[in-house]
């Protein structure tokens, strides 16, 4: 069973923030895929079943994402994990598909790595970096940034679907990775 975890923070105050691009991509996918919600407090998040596997939006807040990911993965005996997250080391407009690697200081990834290991597939959505990292990632996208983000999320959705339909991470990266326009 495949588990796709989109990282973000719960609550209206965090909607459309840079840290919530994982939630945004899961929402975009679920609009198109027939799905059913699975309830259970033990999952510590919103969990949906689709033809491709499970989609999770942890409700544990970013820094404890691993708690939710681990709970779902263990309960359903998931053998594959794909994590969607924001990446401040990539400019807005960049998109990277990869497997394994470090956490780059991302607290959500640190939490997942501690409980699940680090050898999982990743969809890294570039958001850029501000002077104060915390206030920047918790800040909302501007309307211009949201306009720029829309086609990146569409590209990420297409790449993730290709991955879920059996293409290798190398094939998907070769086809769907994006470089940011020079800023």
């Amino acid at each position: 069973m495949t588990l796709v975890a989109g990282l973000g923070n719960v609550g209206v105050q965090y909607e459309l923030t840079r840290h919530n691009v994982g939630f945004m991509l899961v929402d975009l996918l679920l609009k198109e895929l027939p799905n059913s919600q699975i309830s259970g407090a033990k999952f510590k998040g919103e969990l949906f079943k689709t033809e491709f596997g499970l989609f999770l939006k942890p409700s544990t807040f970013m820094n404890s994402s691993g708690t939710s990911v681990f709970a779902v993965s263990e309960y359903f005996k998931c053998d594959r994990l794909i994590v969607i997250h924001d990446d401040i080391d990539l400019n807005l407009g960049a998109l990277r598909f990869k497997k394994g690697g470090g956490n780059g200081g991302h607290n959500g990834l640190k939490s997942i790595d501690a409980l699940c290991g680090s050898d999982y597939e990743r969809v890294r959505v570039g958001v850029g970096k501000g002077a104060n990292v915390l206030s920047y990632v918790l800040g909302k996208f501007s309307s211009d940034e949201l306009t720029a983000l829309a086609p990146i999320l569409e590209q990420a959705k297409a790449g993730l679907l290709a991955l879920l339909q059996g293409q290798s991470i190398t094939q998907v990266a070769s086809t769907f990775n994006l470089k940011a326009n020079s800023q």
Side-chain angles (χ1 to χ4, degrees), residues 6-21:
L7 302 188
N9 287 311
V10 294
V12 176
Q13 70 271 33
Y14 297 109
E15 288 177 4
L16 302 180
T17 63
R18 293 173 184 88
H19 234 8
N20 274 34
V21 294

Side-chain angles (χ1 to χ4, degrees), residues 37-96:
Q37 188 162 6
I38 300 171
S39 57
K42 63 184 160 273
F43 302 133
K44 298 174 176 46
E46 291 183 69
L47 184 62
F48 303 87
K49 183 169 179 49
T50 74
E51 65 183 289
F52 297 111
L54 302 169
F55 285 77
L56 173 67
K57 292 170 43 179
S59 61
T60 53
F61 289 95
M62 183 64 77
N63 294 355
S64 298
S65 297
T67 305
S68 178
V69 171
F70 182 76
V72 172
S73 185
E74 285 295 301
Y75 185 85
F76 288 98
K77 308 292 185 237
C78 297
D79 56 1
R80 183 181 189 193
L81 174 61
I82 302 170
V83 176
I84 307 162
H85 65 92
D86 61 299
D87 194 320
I88 61 171
D89 292 326
L90 298 174
N91 288 331
L92 182 65
L95 175 66
R96 297 283 181 275

Side-chain angles (χ1 to χ4, degrees), residues 3 5 7 65-67 69-71 73-74 78 80-83 85 99-103 106-122:
L3 172 59
L7 302 188
S65 297
T67 305
V69 171
F70 182 76
S73 185
E74 285 295 301
C78 297
R80 183 181 189 193
L81 174 61
I82 302 170
V83 176
H85 65 92
K99 183 167 183 184
N103 59 49
H106 192 291
N107 288 330
L109 296 181
K110 284 181 187 177
S111 177
I112 293 169
D113 291 355
L115 293 168
C116 304
S118 62
D119 192 32
Y120 49 87
E121 295 161 294
R122 302 151 194 245

Side-chain angles (χ1 to χ4, degrees), residues 147-159:
T147 300
L149 183 63
I152 289 116
L153 290 178
E154 287 295 329
Q155 179 89 350
K157 178 181 77 172

